[in-house]
Amino acid sequence: MKLRIKGNSIRLRLGQSEVRQLANDGVVAEFTDFGDSCSQRFEYALHAVFDDPTVSARFADGRMIVRVPAGAVREWAQTDQIGIRAVQRTTDGSELRILIEKDLECIEPAADESQEDAFPNPQLAACASGSD
């Protein structure tokens, strides 16, 4: 699972196996270590939930958790829908934008990044069919 944070937006991109894991197990989690102890770790997770009809995010104790309704996860996993978008109001009245996407094959992949678990990119298919 890839994480991008920019300003007041969170973007999570999941490969095919991670989308299956979320749909089947209800959770996908990752972490980044910054040191020798657990207090030096940043964790992030995506949870499919049954008790909340909205997409939401929270951060506490070095851990970011994004919660998504299980029905929305199931539909997303079983269709060609690319992403799930949401806006969460914060206590100060601003907005946190949340985007959860299927990780698509890159048109120009980076040499050091594997694409074996990426979803087929519709733009690549259109390029291939147009070259005949």
Side-chain angles (χ1 to χ4, degrees), residues 34-112:
F34 291 92
D36 295 333
S37 70
C38 287
S39 65
Q40 299 283 328
R41 178 183 280 192
F42 170 67
E43 299 178 8
Y44 53 103
L46 184 57
H47 290 213
V49 298
F50 292 95
D51 63 345
D52 191 348
T54 61
V55 176
S56 63
R58 68 175 194 238
F59 180 78
D61 301 321
R63 188 165 201 218
M64 180 186 74
I65 298 174
V66 177
R67 296 167 40 100
V68 182
V73 168
R74 190 172 31 260
E75 180 180 338
W76 177 61
Q78 295 174 354
T79 66
D80 61 357
Q81 177 185 345
I82 300 297
I84 298 171
R85 294 178 183 271
V87 175
Q88 175 178 310
R89 294 259 181 228
T90 63
T91 55
D92 69 357
S94 62
E95 295 180 340
L96 173 64
R97 292 180 311 283
I98 303 167
L99 176 59
I100 303 146
E101 294 179 307
K102 292 176 180 170
D103 191 23
L104 302 178
E105 294 172 316
C106 296
I107 292 173
E108 295 183 28
D112 62 342

